Amino acid sequence: MDVEQFFELLLQETKKNTTLQNLYQFAKDRKNFLFRKAYYCQRLEYISKKITDHNAFIWDCGCGYGTTGIFLALNGFRVFGTTVEYFFDHIPQRLDYWSKYGDISSFNVNYQDIFDPPFYKSRFDYVITQDVLHHLEPNYEALQIIRQAMKDNGMLVVCEENGNNIINNFKLFLRRGNKRIIDLYDEKLRKTIKLGNENIQSLASWKIKFEQAGLSVANESIEYIRLFPPFCFNKNNYDDVIKRENKIWPRNKLLREYFYFGINFTALKKHILH
């Protein structure tokens, strides 16, 4: 199943499942529909392009509502997801919906803090963190856990917001000020956990943190996405707008660093000599 087919079925699901509508907002926000669709589909396309080995075992770290794991399972991949989202109890309803369109038995999900045992040492060929890294605290320890969970030739696939984006930073500051890390009590886990409060970072910042944790960002894998605002999209120019964005970011550092909303990249496990 390709990304476009999956998106159309996801759209139908959100129309039926009102709990999903606040997350994806495709069904109720028709004005910005194409803008939202472009961002969602580009990120899923990126993940799809990077994960190619059908014999692989994948950890969707912070899998949220299970959407990416479901997509990969429909395409024959074996995926293990961990999440601490409140929506966890509704995932069986989602699996029932998607099982009508293919075999998703290779996707399993646990409600689990990554800092809790069991510890997944050298188990995964791929690890996905989609809108997750800026929530994981303590960040350095989380990156070390992810690194150690990867096989020696494993790959970490990252989709994040661009922490340098001027507009997004302004909006986040109005919402949470400088309170970038908070404590929350989790009823299911029965403990207080630290959470990055939309603690988004720039690519340069992530590169430093990855190096410190024994991970190396693959420069050739980097992509910046979402530059143009919603009113630039219409049904006649949808593909052209995305193509223009893809052409601009490699040539224009100012726009790339401060006006693109999203960054995608992969990282490999560094082999440290003792």
Side-chain angles (χ1 to χ4, degrees), residues 6 13 16 19 37 134 138 147 166 174 207 221 237 242:
F6 183 79
E13 183 189 20
K16 297 175 183 178
T19 311
K37 175 186 176 181
H134 64 267
R147 179 191 180 276
I166 293 172
L174 292 178
K207 281 186 172 183
S221 73
N237 72 357
I242 294 172

Side-chain angles (χ1 to χ4, degrees), residues 109-154:
V109 57
N110 280 355
Y111 193 95
Q112 183 181 334
D113 180 3
I114 74 164
F115 296 101
D116 289 341
F119 183 69
Y120 307 109
K121 188 171 183 180
S122 301
R123 186 176 178 188
F124 299 100
D125 302 280
Y126 297 96
V127 180
I128 302 168
T129 57
Q130 187 173 5
D131 276 335
V132 169
L133 288 183
H134 64 267
H135 289 308
L136 298 179
E137 293 293 341
N139 202 246
Y140 174 73
E141 285 84 349
L143 288 173
Q144 285 188 311
I145 289 171
I146 290 170
R147 179 191 180 276
Q148 291 169 9
M150 296 163 61
K151 292 181 179 178
D152 285 345
N153 60 346

Side-chain angles (χ1 to χ4, degrees), residues 12 35 37 147 162 169 206:
Q12 295 305 313
F35 175 71
K37 175 186 176 181
R147 179 191 180 276
N162 176 13
N169 270 317
W206 284 126

Side-chain angles (χ1 to χ4, degrees), residues 64 76 81 84 95 134 143 166 178 209 237 264:
V84 290
L95 298 179
H134 64 267
L143 288 173
I166 293 172
N178 283 320
K209 291 185 176 186
N237 72 357
N264 302 323

Side-chain angles (χ1 to χ4, degrees), residues 176-206:
R176 51 114 165 99
N178 283 320
K179 196 171 184 180
R180 302 175 75 99
I181 300 174
I182 57 176
D183 292 326
L184 288 178
Y185 184 77
D186 188 289
E187 294 288 347
K188 286 184 180 292
L189 298 175
R190 296 184 179 180
K191 69 171 186 175
T192 299
I193 61 174
K194 286 195 176 296
L195 185 71
N197 188 17
E198 302 302 329
N199 190 19
I200 60 175
Q201 310 284 322
S202 68
L203 178 61
S205 177
W206 284 126

Side-chain angles (χ1 to χ4, degrees), residues 229-244:
F231 61 79
C232 291
F233 286 83
N234 62 59
K235 63 181 181 180
N236 296 317
N237 72 357
Y238 175 82
D239 291 331
D240 290 335
V241 171
I242 294 172
K243 288 177 182 177
R244 286 174 62 196

